[in-house]
Each structure stands twice: as C-alpha cells, then as structure tokens.
Amino acid sequence: QVRLMESGGGSVQAGSSLILSCVVSGHRFDEYQMAWYRQLPGKEREGVASINVWSVTHYSESVKGRFTISRDNARKSLDLQMGSLRPEDTAMYYCGVSEAVSLDDPLGPSHQYDYWGQGTQVTVSS
C-alpha cells in the first residue's frame, strides 16, 4: 500500500515563497512517476509539475520559471519549491504517484495517477 503525506502549505503574501513536501511510504519509490496537482472547489484537478524516474520534469505554463519540482529517492520525498507566488496560485495542492515510470502526458488527466495524498492548502493574498 502506497501512502502519501503532503506538508508545507500556508497563507502568504503575493511574491512570497513556499516549499511543499510529500513523503511517500511503500516500496519502489524510485520507480514512480510523480507530480503535483492543484484544485479549486468545483474545478478539475490540474497538473502543476511532474518528474519521472529519470528526473525529467514538466511544468504548466502558469508556473514555469517560478516553481521547481525535485525528488529525493533516499528520503522518499517529493518537493515543490514555489516562488513569486500569485493570488491565482491559491488552491489545494496534491501529490500524486503513478506506477508507470514515465507518462506521455504527465500533466494531463489526474486519473493517470494511482495514489494521492490528502492535500495541503496554499493561500496567496494580494
């Protein structure tokens, strides 16, 4: 059983930075495609950043240049460094794990990911 636990969310001012972390329990961490998605109430979950087993990354256009995704296989941790935060970054952020080593559309439909954490709220005020 794979379990994910996110942390690091909070309420910040525009222009601030935050680091989200996701710790994964279960084996084969280094064989997972992983990603951060975010969701607003009543909206679809949207891909923010992803990283595959070879540490190839993808970012949505809205966060490119401001966010950095990284993985630490020894700590079984996935991080999202968020900089220059904007009010439109406000959302619940979720960490996802796919049992595929890589996905053709890693920021596509969220059903590609097999496991999700409970989420961590990020609120950015202007």
Side-chain angles (χ1 to χ4, degrees):
Q1 181 73 26
V2 178
R3 293 186 178 179
L4 293 76
M5 179 68 72
E6 301 99 334
S7 63
S11 296
V12 296
Q13 296 282 329
S16 299
S17 299
L18 280 175
I19 299 177
L20 305 185
S21 291
C22 174
V23 176
V24 181
S25 64
H27 60 95
R28 298 173 51 211
F29 177 87
D30 58 344
E31 297 180 15
Y32 296 148
Q33 160 86 43
M34 303 189 68
W36 286 96
Y37 275 61
R38 63 188 181 188
Q39 188 172 24
L40 288 170
K43 300 280 187 147
E44 295 275 331
R45 198 168 287 191
E46 66 166 0
V48 174
S50 70
I51 187 166
N52 68 13
V53 298
W54 301 288
S55 293
V56 175
T57 58
H58 291 85
Y59 297 93
S60 67
E61 285 300 318
S62 62
V63 308
K64 198 172 289 185
R66 300 188 296 123
F67 291 11
T68 302
I69 189 171
S70 61
R71 65 191 298 159
D72 185 329
N73 291 339
R75 294 191 301 117
K76 295 188 176 182
S77 176
L78 178 75
D79 290 342
L80 184 68
Q81 297 180 57
M82 309 165 68
S84 302
L85 283 162
R86 305 168 180 168
E88 54 264 40
D89 294 318
T90 295
M92 185 72 80
Y93 283 73
Y94 296 90
C95 170
V97 167
S98 169
E99 293 189 331
V101 296
S102 185
L103 294 170
D104 291 337
D105 185 15
L107 297 181
S110 60
H111 64 73
Q112 297 179 101
Y113 290 85
D114 301 295
Y115 306 99
W116 293 96
Q118 295 298 308
T120 185
Q121 178 67 38
V122 172
T123 302
V124 185
S125 57
S126 57

